[in-house]
Amino acid sequence: MQKSNLFLLVLIFLLSGCASNSELNKRADNHDKAGDYYESIGQPQVAEQERRMAQEDRDDSLKVDAILVEIFKPKKDK
C-alpha cells in the first residue's frame, strides 16, 4: 500500500509540471547575472530584487518535489 502511495505522489509531481532542480538552478543563475547587470548600470533596487528571486529559486530547488522530478523526469536528448 505504501509503495502505491509513493508512486502516486511521484506521478502527481511529474504531471503537475514542477520545475526540476537543475531548471531552478539555471533560473537562479540567470537572476544572479541580471542582478550583476542591474548593479553595473546603477539600479541597486532592481539588482537586489533579482538576487532575492535567485535565492528563492535556489531554496525551491532543494525541496523534495523538485528533487523527485529531477530523478524521475525523462531525459531529453539535445
Side-chain angles (χ1 to χ4, degrees), residues 27-61:
R27 284 189 212 168
D29 290 341
N30 286 337
H31 285 300
D32 278 336
K33 289 177 187 176
D36 292 343
Y37 170 74
Y38 285 123
E39 188 75 37
S40 72
I41 63 171
Q43 295 186 355
Q45 295 86 4
V46 180
E48 182 60 33
Q49 182 180 3
E50 287 290 336
R51 291 190 179 107
R52 229 178 294 120
M53 288 189 292
Q55 186 59 45
E56 289 172 6
D57 283 343
R58 284 197 175 89
D59 292 342
D60 288 344
S61 75

Side-chain angles (χ1 to χ4, degrees):
M1 183 83 177
Q2 290 179 355
K3 287 184 180 181
S4 64
N5 287 342
L6 179 62
F7 178 75
L8 182 61
L9 182 65
V10 169
L11 185 63
I12 289 171
F13 286 137
L14 289 174
L15 295 178
S16 66
C18 294
S20 71
N21 183 305
S22 60
E23 289 170 355
L24 288 168
N25 284 327
K26 286 179 188 177
R27 284 189 212 168
D29 290 341
N30 286 337
H31 285 300
D32 278 336
K33 289 177 187 176
D36 292 343
Y37 170 74
Y38 285 123
E39 188 75 37
S40 72
I41 63 171
Q43 295 186 355
Q45 295 86 4
V46 180
E48 182 60 33
Q49 182 180 3
E50 287 290 336
R51 291 190 179 107
R52 229 178 294 120
M53 288 189 292
Q55 186 59 45
E56 289 172 6
D57 283 343
R58 284 197 175 89
D59 292 342
D60 288 344
S61 75
L62 298 175
K63 291 184 179 178
V64 173
D65 56 340
I67 295 170
L68 286 175
V69 168
E70 186 72 23
I71 292 170
F72 292 105
K73 184 176 81 170
K75 304 293 184 214
K76 294 181 182 178
D77 293 333
K78 291 185 178 183

